[in-house]
Amino acid sequence: MRINYKPQDRFDFAIFLPMIFLIIAGLLAIYSSTVNHPTAHGNFQKQLYWAVFSVLIFFIIYYLPQQTFRMFAIVTYLAAIFFLIAVLAIGKTVYGSKSWFGFGGFGFQPSEFAKLATILMLAYWLTYKSRDINNFKDIGVALLIGFVPVILIMLEPDTGTSFVFVFITIALIFWSGISLFGMFVVLSPGVMVVASLFGVHVFLIALILVVIALFFFKKDLFNSISVFVINLASGFFFNYAYAVLKPHQQKRISSFLNPYADPLGAGYNALQAKVAIGSGGFFGKGFLHGNQTQLRFIPEQWTDFIYCVIGEEFGFIGSVIVVTLFFVIFMRLLKLSSTAKDKFSVLVIVGVLTLLFSHFAINVGMNIGIAPVIGLPLPFLSYGGSSLLVDVVLLGIVLNVYRNRKLHT
Amino acid sequence: MNDTIFGSVFRKRIFFLMVVGFFAACVMQLFNMQIIEHPIYSEKSDENSVKPIHQMAPRGIFYDRNHKVLVGNKPSFTLRIIPAEYDKKLTPYLEAILGVNPGYIDHILKQNETYSKYIPRKIAKDVSFKVIAWYEENSAKLPGVDYVMETQRDYSFGVMGAHMFGYSKEIPSEVLERRKNEYDIGDEIGFNGIEKTYENILRGKKGTKYVLVDSKQKTIGRYKNGAEDESAIKGDDLILTIDKDAQEVAEEEFKDKRGAVVAIDPTNGDILAFLSSPEYDLKDFATVTSNDVWKKLNNDPDKPMFNRASMSIYSPGSTFKMISAIAALEDGVIDTNFTVNCRGGLQFGDRFFKCLHVHGTVNITTAIEHSCNTFFYQLILKNGLDRWSKYARKFGFGKKSGLDISEESSGIVPSTSYYDKVFGKGRWTKGLLVSLGIGQGELSVTPLQLAQYIGLIANFGKSARPHFLKGYVDAETNNYVEVKPQYYDLGISRKTFDIVRHALYLVVNGSGTATNIKMPDIAIAGKTGTAQNPHGKDHSIFIGFAPYDNPKIAVAVIVENAGFGSLVAAPIARDIIKAYLQKDKKDEKVNQNLANAVAAQGGKKSEN
């Protein structure tokens, strides 16, 4: 039986159009923040080429056979790990982290590519034949898939990006139907880390709560003791981890707590970003008329602080429109996650959602002062070719799933 | 899907709640920042990037009563370096051109190292025009070097007048603390004399240019294309009552003398000449005053910074005798028939009070003419202390005249209560009075008070408060604004003044004590005085007015440690009178034309 599909049945405009609008908003903001800049005035043109290139790739991805992603998951992932190791050896150091390959005028970030690869690999592993998500071994492998890139990226070091891999891994394990106990095993070490931040007393209380929880789970002694030991170790681990953080990263955490304490130091960017957005008012100061932006009060504004260009020059209206476009994409991804019928596609969509949402929440959050200053680009808007390409490709995969969803009914 | 105790719908709902929750938090925070707290951020943003550059307003110029410049302004060049654009290789050349020691520029640049490299540093003030010409020729080869033109006072117009003009200087921090709303750090403020009194109209209005700066303070462009800029408005020019010619003569005569001159127009209180000698040179105060100059001025035993004309208190000597005469005549204590037989002095109690000569029988007129002490010893006893004291105060002694500079002393006029306070009630005798009769003793006056007093006698008890300001030219409208003198009348009869004035006429033109200054064409009347001085030779004093029939100038001259009044002070007074009156005749027509021109200009403005 042949069915005549309407275009919107095969192509989800509710994702594609917001994405295009966001890319355009990003280009405008990049233009505004670099047009008068002595060294960065070429960025708009570069980003424009990347945008056109990315959209072309988007359609190629869209038309690929659906099996492609599943088939190439392992290869992609191994390639990504290879690149992550290679970049540590021969990469270019930019802003203190070794995260770039340079090819002539263009750069490429393997960690961006690794996001795509890790989502595919996790989705592949978690949906392979009769995977038991509550089996310690299977969880262990899933965690390993997620945490190998985390550790490699931390070595660059690019802490912000490595967080995103943690979120993706946890989200996919969670969505796969891990049991309450399994989730407890995965999450409680993280809780212990946070608890240890607040000193010995809080740490001890948390440890007691872990013991009580273990008692109620009524697992065998071996399991219970193992989990307890893992928790205890992760609490102590944090002190070492904090010491591993670069001083500027430690400072970023403390300057988030009180950005006004050191207005010219680490808190400077956060403060100036808030001033830029706040001074935009309801309608904004107008395109190219934001003095914070035009007078370059925020260094490298076209990367992590691109959102405050929108906030300053297009005001509350522009800021809310951008946030809403993201909101539409996220809602749509959630909706698609229940329409797609095969588990692999669902997990890919959830992975994409987690990735875009964590970037969005951390980036916008730090621009408006409700999240710490962690260097993560804003998807589709921030300057940077590899990041834009990967984000667009991810949505291309989602639309590929959408295109093929009817075939499974 | 895998259905465990965690249903997939439940898991999906957690994702949903996170997305919706964060979206709501974003919109709320944006609403809070961009709408509720918008004014706070907006202000911060403006402070960030709009920088005001203040332009000093030139102070108003001082003109004399005939519109001749007394104190002007001249451009002054300040050389600056903008470190961000400056090439350190230029330093040796610059230092050679400026004539400063090697290392000077480095030192200044080091001092302000922590400030942004785009803020210009002033490296030399009051740079000569030669240097600027050199700069203009070579500016292409001097990146990061520029200059700004400011104005400074110009004192090259032939008069000194330091004590009346005063000077302005950078506002001291304690004054700035009080007047934060009106002044900024580094502003000039009138510090003394006329510069201080008329600060409010002299200072003008500072201009402000708004420029946009980036986060490194580098100037990017103008703010709103200069729409908010305000140009500086020059201060109002002052038309002073001073007569430049008379002032010049006074200064010339006092070149090697210490003392003071005050000349007043008795009809309206205009101060025509005002001098305290030795003077200090205002040129030393036009820019930054060097420590050497300060030290020299402060250590000079002649105290050149001290304003003798209105602050120093002297014994008036015989010039004070007219107070006794007027008091006695006006209150009917004596009349012209009252005589005293002068045998060279007066025995009072156990003390003999001397007269300079044996004058024989003298009445009020001859007593003034010949300055007979015996007569005035008697007269003050007849008057009594309090009558004398009351009249002395009437003529302005013992209190400030209200002159429009703040450097003024009140002097001392003793009275019963004064002596009671100093010596105790009943513990002083009338012997103290006798000295007061000839202007000695506890009495002390300022040269300004003496000029005011002789002016009142000249003009039959009618005059106006002494003042320096005739009017000013409003810099914004260009209108001349006249300042009306504050007239007053002592209410003393013409008959009394006729007797006293006649006697003063005889002092110069009869057979009195100052016949040496008699002039063929100008009738001067006056009185000599010799003030005893515990610290050295007597002070020579002369007070007088002219012309006798229609007084236009009253003058008081004190020359310290110079002996008899007639010999030193009187000729100076005559020269000042001559300089003023003879020119006055000549310039009357010019004056009239000027007045017409100013009136015409004012009229035209108000029509617009």
Side-chain angles (χ1 to χ4, degrees):
Chain A
M1 184 177 73
R2 189 159 174 87
I3 304 165
N4 281 324
Y5 293 119
K6 292 179 214 151
Q8 60 263 42
D9 290 336
R10 301 181 64 90
F11 189 81
D12 191 4
F13 289 96
I15 285 181
F16 181 74
L17 289 182
M19 178 188 85
I20 294 297
F21 291 146
L22 286 172
I23 291 173
I24 291 169
L27 285 169
L28 287 177
I30 289 167
Y31 180 78
S32 178
S33 62
T34 58
V35 64
N36 291 317
H37 197 281
T39 57
H41 55 78
N43 287 6
F44 169 74
Q45 212 171 11
K46 278 193 206 167
Q47 184 76 359
L48 184 62
Y49 294 153
W50 272 108
V52 173
F53 178 66
S54 300
V55 174
L56 283 175
I57 300 291
F58 174 89
F59 283 106
I60 293 171
I61 299 286
Y62 174 71
Y63 282 112
L64 285 177
Q66 202 197 0
Q67 280 73 23
T68 322
F69 312 112
R70 199 181 168 94
M71 270 161 55
F72 284 96
I74 298 176
V75 180
T76 320
Y77 182 74
L78 291 177
I81 298 298
F82 171 75
F83 285 135
L84 284 176
I85 294 168
V87 83
L88 289 175
I90 57 164
K92 205 166 84 177
T93 304
V94 178
Y95 308 125
S97 21
K98 228 175 186 185
S99 57
W100 288 80
F101 287 124
F103 304 115
F106 290 94
F108 170 70
Q109 265 184 301
S111 58
E112 293 297 334
F113 179 62
K115 288 173 189 167
L116 168 72
T118 307
I119 290 172
L120 294 180
M121 186 62 203
L122 275 171
Y124 175 81
W125 172 257
L126 290 169
T127 57
Y128 186 74
K129 286 178 182 166
S130 56
R131 188 73 64 212
D132 179 7
I133 191 61
N134 289 314
N135 177 312
F136 263 15
K137 193 196 87 192
D138 286 352
I139 296 180
V141 173
L143 288 176
L144 193 69
I145 292 169
F147 278 74
V148 167
V150 167
I151 289 160
L152 289 173
I153 292 166
M154 274 211 174
L155 289 174
E156 288 181 358
D158 184 353
T159 324
T161 304
S162 57
F163 282 170
V164 175
F165 286 82
V166 175
F167 296 146
I168 291 171
T169 311
I170 290 171
L172 292 191
I173 290 173
F174 177 63
W175 199 277
S176 301
I178 193 172
S179 68
L180 198 53
F181 178 69
M183 205 64 211
F184 173 75
V185 173
V186 173
L187 283 185
S188 60
V191 173
M192 291 308 294
V193 167
V194 176
S196 72
L197 264 176
F198 293 93
V200 179
H201 296 285
V202 181
F203 177 66
L204 287 177
I205 291 168
L207 209 55
I208 291 165
L209 289 176
V210 167
V211 173
I212 294 170
L214 284 173
F215 177 76
F216 278 106
F217 279 120
K218 292 188 172 129
K219 296 284 166 178
D220 61 65
L221 196 64
F222 175 74
N223 272 337
S224 299
I225 290 176
S226 310
V227 171
F228 177 76
V229 169
I230 290 169
N231 274 290
L232 192 61
S234 56
F236 286 110
F237 165 75
F238 179 75
N239 282 325
Y240 298 101
Y242 189 78
V244 165
L245 286 181
K246 299 258 154 175
H248 78 269
Q249 289 164 329
Q250 295 175 352
K251 247 186 164 179
R252 277 176 170 186
I253 293 173
S254 61
S255 85
F256 162 65
L257 300 172
N258 185 8
Y260 292 84
D262 183 15
L264 288 175
Y268 177 83
N269 291 358
L271 185 62
Q272 292 298 346
K274 281 185 85 175
V275 170
I277 294 171
S279 65
F282 191 76
F283 292 110
K285 297 176 187 170
F287 185 51
L288 302 180
H289 284 93
N291 46 347
Q292 292 280 112
T293 300
Q294 300 308 324
L295 303 176
R296 309 196 280 275
F297 277 85
I298 300 146
E300 305 283 329
Q301 197 179 1
W302 50 91
T303 59
D304 297 349
F305 285 98
I306 196 74
Y307 186 66
C308 62
V309 180
I310 307 275
E312 183 179 28
E313 299 197 340
F314 301 102
F316 181 69
I317 303 261
S319 313
V320 170
I321 287 175
V322 166
V323 172
T324 308
L325 289 171
F326 274 107
F327 183 69
V328 169
I329 292 177
F330 298 149
M331 284 295 118
R332 200 62 201 159
L333 289 173
L334 266 178
K335 177 111 182 35
L336 292 186
S337 71
S338 46
T339 10
K341 287 302 182 211
D342 74 303
K343 288 186 195 170
F344 176 79
S345 302
V346 171
L347 282 189
V348 168
I349 292 172
V350 172
V352 172
L353 170 63
T354 309
L355 176 109
L356 294 181
F357 180 71
S358 46
H359 269 263
F360 164 78
I362 289 176
N363 183 284
V364 171
M366 88 177 166
N367 270 273
I368 62 178
I370 58 175
V373 180
I374 294 171
L376 278 182
L378 183 59
F380 310 114
L381 282 93
S382 283
Y383 172 74
S386 8
S387 147
L388 176 65
L389 176 64
V390 169
D391 292 338
V392 171
V393 164
L394 288 172
L395 287 189
I397 296 173
V398 171
L399 285 216
N400 181 294
V401 170
Y402 182 85
R403 180 174 69 94
N404 295 307
R405 76 196 192 288
K406 302 272 174 174
L407 299 176
H408 297 275
T409 50
Chain B
M1 288 294 295
N2 217 332
D3 283 320
T4 55
I5 46 166
F6 262 56
S8 66
V9 177
F10 181 75
R11 290 173 193 232
K12 200 176 146 186
R13 202 163 285 162
I14 289 179
F15 276 72
F16 176 80
L17 283 176
M18 278 172 70
V19 172
V20 171
F22 189 78
F23 176 73
C26 274
V27 174
M28 269 164 63
Q29 172 73 352
L30 286 169
F31 183 83
N32 188 31
M33 284 167 71
Q34 297 187 302
I35 291 166
I36 296 175
E37 288 178 352
H38 170 62
I40 303 168
Y41 288 114
S42 198
E43 195 180 315
K44 270 193 198 293
S45 164
D46 285 347
E47 278 171 13
N48 251 350
S49 51
V50 181
K51 190 174 119 190
I53 294 179
H54 296 298
Q55 292 167 309
M56 293 298 159
R59 293 178 77 80
I61 288 173
F62 296 176
Y63 292 100
D64 93 332
R65 59 194 295 112
N66 302 312
H67 299 228
K68 292 180 195 164
V69 178
L70 296 170
V71 174
N73 288 327
K74 64 178 178 189
S76 139
F77 300 102
T78 301
L79 206 66
R80 312 187 304 179
I81 283 180
I82 300 156
E85 293 155 23
Y86 179 67
D87 181 355
K88 285 218 160 136
K89 277 184 228 147
L90 297 170
T91 301
Y93 300 104
L94 272 181
E95 282 171 344
I97 292 282
L98 290 171
V100 293
N101 297 331
Y104 170 84
I105 290 176
D106 252 9
H107 177 70
I108 290 186
L109 294 181
K110 277 239 169 68
Q111 264 182 339
N112 304 309
E113 224 170 18
T114 53
Y115 293 99
S116 162
K117 286 186 167 166
Y118 292 97
I119 299 176
R121 322 289 206 254
K122 291 184 178 183
I123 55 162
K125 274 189 163 187
D126 199 16
V127 174
S128 75
F129 189 73
K130 258 191 196 160
V131 174
I132 298 304
W134 169 82
Y135 170 81
E136 286 286 4
E137 239 169 72
N138 299 290
S139 59
K141 290 177 251 165
L142 297 166
V145 182
D146 72 353
Y147 68 90
V148 283
M149 205 180 81
E150 293 166 328
T151 55
Q152 69 177 58
R153 278 301 196 206
D154 183 2
Y155 296 110
S156 61
F157 297 93
V159 285
M160 304 275 284
H163 297 96
M164 59 174 158
F165 300 146
Y167 56 87
S168 60
K169 65 173 192 178
E170 200 175 305
I171 188 164
S173 50
E174 67 272 13
V175 181
L176 184 62
E177 196 55 40
R178 270 187 283 118
R179 307 183 68 174
K180 259 187 247 153
N181 300 333
E182 306 154 79
Y183 290 88
D184 296 316
I185 195 156
D187 281 2
E188 293 237 315
I189 186 169
F191 183 70
N192 58 4
I194 294 168
E195 296 270 20
K196 182 185 181 187
T197 307
Y198 297 109
E199 166 68 14
N200 284 347
I201 57 174
L202 277 173
R203 63 185 291 218
K205 225 176 122 204
K206 253 192 319 195
T208 314
K209 214 170 91 184
Y210 294 96
V211 294
L212 291 173
V213 294
D214 69 6
S215 54
K216 288 173 183 156
Q217 295 287 308
K218 183 182 178 178
T219 304
I220 301 287
R222 304 186 69 182
Y223 176 62
K224 289 191 184 169
N225 275 323
E228 306 268 307
D229 291 3
E230 285 168 32
S231 46
I233 299 170
K234 180 178 171 294
D236 297 348
D237 293 340
L238 303 189
I239 314 298
L240 300 183
T241 58
I242 293 296
D243 182 272
K244 194 179 171 195
D245 299 322
Q247 181 72 21
E248 271 172 5
V249 168
E251 287 179 1
E252 184 60 35
E253 303 252 4
F254 263 92
K255 262 204 170 130
D256 48 358
K257 298 183 182 72
R258 274 177 290 116
V261 171
V262 178
I264 294 185
D265 181 339
T267 60
N268 59 15
D270 283 0
I271 293 184
L272 304 170
F274 189 91
L275 168 79
S276 170
S277 184
E279 293 216 56
Y280 58 95
D281 194 342
L282 285 173
K283 284 192 183 94
D284 294 334
F285 291 80
T287 53
V288 183
T289 310
S290 73
N291 270 336
D292 293 347
V293 170
W294 270 116
K295 240 184 233 162
K296 203 172 141 240
L297 288 172
N298 283 327
N299 295 337
D300 191 329
D302 286 342
K303 293 193 163 62
M305 299 290 285
F306 184 59
N307 183 347
R308 288 168 159 80
S310 53
M311 291 196 82
S312 186
I313 47 175
Y314 297 95
S315 282
S318 301
T319 59
F320 213 73
K321 284 174 178 164
M322 287 82 84
I323 291 290
S324 293
I326 291 167
L329 289 169
E330 185 67 12
D331 285 4
V333 177
I334 59 160
D335 60 18
T336 46
N337 297 325
F338 172 77
T339 59
V340 164
N341 190 11
C342 168
R343 294 202 183 95
L346 173 76
Q347 184 68 41
F348 187 81
D350 54 358
R351 219 184 126 185
F352 185 73
F353 290 89
K354 274 197 301 188
C355 187
L356 284 178
H357 299 281
V358 179
H359 291 106
T361 304
V362 288
N363 66 3
I364 184 84
T365 308
T366 48
I368 292 173
E369 184 183 356
H370 298 289
S371 201
C372 173
N373 288 352
T374 314
F375 183 90
F376 284 97
Y377 292 144
Q378 299 268 20
L379 192 56
I380 197 166
L381 292 170
K382 276 184 106 59
N383 269 331
L385 176 59
D386 288 330
R387 184 195 313 282
W388 172 87
S389 176
K390 185 183 96 187
Y391 273 86
R393 291 190 74 83
K394 253 190 177 186
F395 279 88
F397 294 105
K399 58 190 179 194
K400 288 182 183 172
S401 70
L403 182 68
D404 46 357
I405 62 175
S406 56
E407 296 83 19
E408 202 188 351
S409 305
S410 17
I412 299 164
V413 174
S415 59
T416 306
S417 58
Y418 174 82
Y419 282 135
D420 282 350
K421 218 159 76 188
V422 174
F423 298 107
K425 216 174 164 107
R427 309 210 23 199
W428 52 280
T429 61
K430 278 194 168 176
L432 291 172
L433 242 74
V434 180
S435 291
L436 296 179
I438 58 160
Q440 307 285 0
E442 288 75 17
L443 175 66
S444 57
V445 304
T446 66
L448 173 68
Q449 287 170 339
L450 286 177
Q452 176 180 241
Y453 153 67
I454 190 66
L456 280 164
I457 294 173
N459 207 39
F460 304 95
K462 293 189 257 305
S463 190
R465 205 156 84 177
H467 55 268
F468 285 111
L469 187 64
K470 230 178 157 45
Y472 58 90
V473 180
D474 188 313
E476 263 174 282
T477 61
N478 218 17
N479 284 343
Y480 175 70
V481 181
E482 198 187 339
V483 176
K484 292 262 181 297
Q486 297 178 27
Y487 291 101
Y488 60 93
D489 187 345
L490 297 181
I492 292 169
S493 70
R494 184 160 182 112
K495 205 177 128 203
T496 301
F497 280 118
D498 279 340
I499 295 162
V500 173
R501 289 175 91 253
H502 180 62
L504 293 175
Y505 177 78
L506 293 176
V507 170
V508 179
N509 302 289
S511 55
T513 53
T515 49
N516 58 323
I517 62 161
K518 182 176 172 182
M519 291 175 70
D521 49 348
I522 302 171
I524 302 176
K527 181 78 193 77
T528 56
T530 306
Q532 288 166 12
N533 164 29
H535 306 297
K537 231 173 131 185
D538 294 343
H539 298 327
S540 170
I541 308 177
F542 181 83
I543 62 174
F545 62 89
Y548 176 67
D549 294 325
N550 178 24
K552 283 183 173 163
I553 176 169
V555 59
V557 178
I558 292 186
V559 187
E560 289 180 8
N561 312 113
F564 283 116
S566 56
L567 296 180
V568 185
I572 295 175
R574 176 199 58 202
D575 293 346
I576 292 168
I577 288 169
K578 206 164 83 179
Y580 179 64
L581 289 181
Q582 290 189 336
K583 189 263 333 261
D584 204 33
K585 236 179 255 168
K586 187 174 71 197
D587 285 355
E588 214 152 84
K589 215 174 157 196
V590 179
N591 257 341
Q592 193 52 48
N593 291 344
L594 265 172
N596 288 345
V598 168
Q601 201 181 30
K604 213 166 81 190
K605 283 272 167 203
S606 55
E607 274 169 26
N608 292 342

